[in-house]
Structures are given as C-alpha cells and as structure tokens.
Amino acid sequence: LKYCHEQRVPVVPQGGNTGMVGGSVPHRGDEVVLSLSRMNKIHSFDPTNAVIQCQSGCILDNLNEYLRPYGYVMPLDLGSSGSCQIGGNVATNAGGIRFLRYGSLRSNILGLKVVLANGDTIDLLNTLRKDNTGYDLKHLFIGSEGTLGVITDVCVATPMLLANSVTALLGLDYYEDAVAALSAARNKLGESIAAIEYWDSASMRISSTTQLGLGDCRFYLLVEVASNMNLESLEDRMMDFLGMYSKGVLATDEGKKKSLWKLRENIPLALKGMNGHTYKYDVSMSPHLFNQATLMVQHHLAAEYPHAQVFQYGHLADGNLHLNIWSPTFDQEIKNLAESTLYEFLRLHRGSISAEHGIGVLKAKHLNVSKSEKAIATMRNLKFLFDPYNILNPNKVLN
Ligand SMILES: Cc1cc2nc3c(=O)[nH]c(=O)nc-3n(C[C@H](O)[C@H](O)[C@H](O)COP(=O)(O)OP(=O)(O)OC[C@H]3O[C@@H](n4cnc5c(N)ncnc54)[C@H](O)[C@@H]3O)c2cc1C
C-alpha cells in the first residue's frame, strides 16, 4: 500500500469475492487486486470473554467450525458462508439470517487492525466489551467497502451455540396478516425468536414444487425459535403461536427444518437458474410497506413490459426486502423504470437503497436517495483525509 500510495496505483481489496454490488471487482482495468485469502490465521478464542481474534481472510464457515467445540458461533450467517471472509463481512457490514437475534455485525465487532492507504497501520484490536475512550474509529471502517483502509485483523464477540430449535412455516392470504404475525410472534415467542423470513407466492412457485399441505397461499412466513430450554417447552411455545393460524407446518427434526429453510434459500438460486436476467434490489423500509412497494413496481412495469415478473422475499422483521425482477433478456428500460419507481418510493418513506449488500459500484450513483448532500460531502471529506490520492477502491461507494 505504501508503494501504491507513492506511485498512485489504485488497489482493490478482495475477500471471498461474493459481494453483490461489484465492490471487490476491478472496474477500471489499472488496479492491483489485493487478495486477503492467505491472511487466514485464527489467533485466539477467549471463552471467558467469548471473543474470537483472527485475520481477516478467515472464511466464515471455518470460524464457526473452530468455535463449535467451545459451544459458541459467529453472530452472522449468510448463504455465502463457505467462501466469504470475515474481513469482507466487516467491510460490507453484512446482515444475513442471524441479524434479528444478534443485531448487526457492527454491534458485535470489538476491534480491528487496519492498514491505511499510505501503508500506516492503525491497531484498534480491542477485545473489551466496554470502551468509551473518545471517537470509536473502528466504525468508520465497518461497512466502508475497502475505500478507507484494508482490514487485516478482527475481534468479534460471539454468542453461545443454542442446543434446540424449532421451525415453522405459515401460509397467509393477506399481507396485513404477515405484518400482524410479526407482533404476534414477538408476544408469544419473545426472546427465543431466532429468525423471521418471508416470501410471496411467485417466489414459492419457482423455489419448490413440493406439496406442503398448506394449499395456495399468497404469502409465507418462516419463523424459527432457538434456545437452551428443553425441546418440548420450545415446541409448546411454537405450538401456542401456530395455533393462531389456520395454515402452518411445524418442524423439529433436522431434516424437516432444513427442507423448510431450503424453500427460502432456493429463491435466489431458482431465479439464477431461470433463463433470462434478474434485476436485484436489497432495500430497507418499514415491514408494513414491502407489499405496497412491490405492487407499485409491478404496476409500473405491467403496462409496457408484460413479460417482466416481480418477486418479493426477505428478512421481514429486519425491514429488509429483496425485490427481484426477472425478464427474458436484459433491458435497460426495465432497469430504469424499476429503479426510478422503487427509489422514489424509498425517498418518500426514508428507506435505504442498500439494507445489507452495500453500495459498491452498482449503487454509487443512487447514494443520494438515502443520504443527504451534506452527508455525502462529509463522506467525501473523510475519504480525502484517509486516502488523499484516491487509490483505495476508486469509484466504489462514492463515484
Ligand atoms: C449466495 C449468497 C448469499 C448471500 N447472502 C447474503 C446475506 O444474507 N446478507 C448479506 O449481507 N450479504 C449476502 N451476500 C453478499 C456477500 O456474501 C457479503 O457481502 C459478504 O460480506 C462479502 O464478503 P466477501 O469476503 O466475499 O467480500 P468481497 O466480495 O470480496 O468484498 C466485498 C467488499 O469488501 C471489500 N473488502 C473485502 N475484504 C476486505 C478487507 N479485508 N479489508 C477492506 N475491504 C475489504 C471489497 O473491496 C469489497 O468492496 C450473499 C452472497 C451470495 C453469493
């Protein structure tokens, strides 16, 4: 980095290269790709403090494997866990299916070591749970997508591995019922809720042909509880919740739980498998707005592009909608219309154009939908302070 800084050579930090917005991909053609893959040492795990310290190139699955014998897990889980790296996770502040239970990755990072654009190292490798000594600099690098520094080491607070879990799938006819089920789940299941995932009938059709005995439903909600309480008590709790609905299935054994989760996990894979092009949007808004946003995009597309299909799924309780549009071939006009409709909706409702995937290169020009002019100007000032020659991931996040 020192050399590249002196020679003004652009550098693209790259982790597992699983990012969804092109942040780890060289874009101009003159960049050095800096792979972190070989920085994959786990330094230590302190069971008294439940903190793991490791290099940033460690693959997420490997960290979970390492922690299992101690009875702990990483506080995040993603579909890409077999190849994404903890450094990439930190650089994107990744979300995923444990967000509801353990909060953002940001809130579980205790310390970082970062190499700046000029080659200087800042050691912020704290393992303390509490530390209020002035500006908390690590937060600038979390979610900075390789534009402010290269993360080389991390300290992560880890939650305990829970012994038992029960999964349920609800079929619902009205969107309002899905939103009401969120509050009902909080009331009935309380602190044992581990995940609440959601998808619509269009997503279900491409994800599975299996008959679940739920009949035709317009919306589906997957609810999981996990705890160290005994399995029977956990099951009773879930049954109490499920009893409020006419269409639901319960899974306690591993095979059935996996098959319910597969319905959700298959959706992006099924979209990928359809011949054609998928336009992917990962947005944040209040959960009661998901269906309204989807219907609005659908309505705008229907008149001119009847072949376009719209799918909604996501992390309902986190307010994170994955809105996907499919068309037989890529069409810039569809993209433009979908984006102008969706982003105007987000602007109106103070939503976010990126819930968990980041900005990268794909969303940089839309940053002003979710950030004010002054906020973007402050971001530019910070970028200049850390990287005056703009060598770190140029044109990413801020274009
Ligand atoms: C099947 C699948 C499922 C996914 N599910 C989710 C999900 O549920 N939630 C979610 O949030 N994301 C998800 N993702 C997106 C992706 O896995 C995450 O963004 C992940 O955190 C990226 O990690 P990575 O190591 O692959 O980083 P990369 O893709 O290599 O890089 C991502 C960004 O971070 C920067 N970067 C990488 N390493 C460093 C470093 N050490 N220091 C500084 N900058 C660095 C890069 O320059 C780039 O800007 C999914 C992706 C796939 C393919």
Side-chain angles (χ1 to χ4, degrees):
L1 280 165
K2 188 172 188 294
Y3 177 84
C4 289
H5 177 77
E6 284 163 4
Q7 302 297 321
R8 320 284 193 256
V9 176
V11 177
V12 180
Q14 193 174 85
N17 205 15
T18 68
M20 306 290 259
V21 287
S24 57
V25 181
H27 167 68
R28 308 188 331 184
D30 60 348
E31 300 102 318
V32 168
V33 174
L34 177 58
S35 169
L36 276 296
S37 292
R38 283 160 64 188
M39 293 198 67
N40 60 2
K41 286 191 190 60
I42 301 176
H43 299 304
S44 62
F45 175 68
D46 171 5
T48 51
N49 206 19
V51 176
I52 188 168
Q53 186 169 335
C54 65
Q55 288 185 320
S56 60
C58 291
I59 288 174
L60 185 57
D61 269 354
N62 295 347
L63 295 175
N64 273 317
E65 278 307 304
Y66 174 86
L67 288 170
R68 196 186 309 274
Y70 292 100
Y72 288 84
V73 286
M74 293 299 284
L76 79 165
D77 188 18
L78 319 177
S80 54
S81 59
S83 39
C84 67
Q85 300 174 5
I86 188 66
N89 300 150
V90 174
T92 54
N93 187 28
I97 53 172
R98 291 187 187 152
F99 186 100
L100 180 62
R101 183 71 177 247
Y102 302 119
S104 67
L105 180 57
R106 179 184 294 286
S107 61
N108 290 287
I109 298 295
L110 301 181
L112 296 178
K113 194 190 268 184
V114 181
V115 181
L116 299 179
N118 65 4
D120 284 353
T121 300
I122 319 187
D123 185 344
L124 307 164
L125 267 184
N126 216 336
T127 58
L128 303 172
R129 296 259 173 180
K130 297 178 94 171
D131 173 30
N132 274 351
T133 49
Y135 309 143
D136 201 341
L137 295 176
K138 66 175 180 284
H139 285 298
L140 285 174
F141 300 100
I142 303 171
S144 69
E145 301 180 56
T147 61
L148 295 183
V150 177
I151 300 159
T152 59
D153 298 79
V154 303
C155 293
V156 191
T158 60
M160 285 190 72
L161 192 63
L162 299 170
N164 294 311
S165 66
V166 175
T167 310
L169 184 69
L170 293 183
L172 301 160
D173 293 324
Y174 299 99
Y175 184 71
E176 293 69 23
D177 294 343
V179 178
L182 279 185
S183 314
R186 285 196 190 100
N187 276 334
K188 295 265 181 194
L189 306 169
E191 78 297 337
S192 58
I193 298 176
I196 300 184
E197 294 292 308
Y198 150 88
W199 57 96
D200 64 359
S201 54
S203 306
M204 187 64 143
R205 262 196 304 279
I206 58 165
S207 164
S208 166
T209 49
T210 315
Q211 287 302 320
L212 292 161
L214 293 179
D216 278 341
C217 306
R218 290 177 58 212
F219 302 100
Y220 296 86
L221 214 61
L222 182 147
V223 180
E224 184 160 278
V225 286
S227 164
N228 279 335
M229 71 169 72
N230 68 53
L231 187 59
E232 289 72 34
S233 311
L234 205 55
E235 204 177 328
D236 286 349
R237 214 181 244 203
M238 187 63 111
M239 285 304 285
D240 185 33
F241 168 67
L242 261 189
M244 297 170 63
Y245 300 92
S246 57
K247 296 175 191 169
V249 288
L250 184 78
T252 47
D253 68 87
E254 288 308 312
K256 202 165 171 201
K257 280 191 278 187
K258 266 199 183 127
S259 66
L260 292 187
W261 270 106
K262 263 222 140 35
L263 297 171
R264 163 67 177 84
E265 287 160 2
N266 269 347
I267 301 167
L269 303 174
L271 278 162
K272 210 172 174 184
M274 287 164 71
N275 276 335
H277 184 83
T278 306
Y279 314 77
K280 297 176 91 61
Y281 300 99
D282 155 51
V283 295
S284 244
M285 63 186 81
S286 167
H288 79 274
L289 294 170
F290 282 20
N291 199 42
Q292 196 182 327
T294 307
L295 290 176
M296 188 165 285
V297 171
Q298 220 159 20
H299 174 76
H300 277 77
L301 290 175
E304 285 182 64
Y305 309 100
H307 299 304
Q309 296 176 36
V310 182
F311 302 83
Q312 54 170 322
Y313 61 95
H315 315 290
L316 185 66
D318 304 336
N320 180 182
L321 169 67
H322 293 307
L323 192 141
N324 283 216
I325 298 157
W326 176 91
S327 68
T329 50
F330 174 76
D331 185 334
Q332 186 63 43
E333 297 294 317
I334 293 184
K335 188 172 187 292
N336 292 348
L337 184 57
E339 280 174 12
S340 59
T341 309
L342 181 61
Y343 290 167
E344 193 45 43
F345 185 89
L346 291 171
R347 200 192 294 273
L348 200 67
H349 294 281
R350 294 195 68 124
S352 169
I353 60 163
S354 176
E356 57 178 14
H357 293 160
I359 296 295
V361 72
L362 293 184
K363 295 185 179 173
K365 72 171 182 207
H366 300 295
L367 192 59
N368 64 356
V369 174
S370 298
K371 289 260 189 294
S372 70
E373 230 173 80
K374 285 207 171 136
I376 293 174
T378 308
M379 285 168 72
R380 285 193 196 285
N381 287 342
L382 277 171
K383 169 72 176 167
F384 185 73
L385 182 72
F386 280 94
D387 181 15
Y389 303 130
N390 192 26
I391 64 155
L392 271 178
N393 233 354
N395 301 334
K396 311 288 171 62
V397 184
L398 296 162
N399 71 8

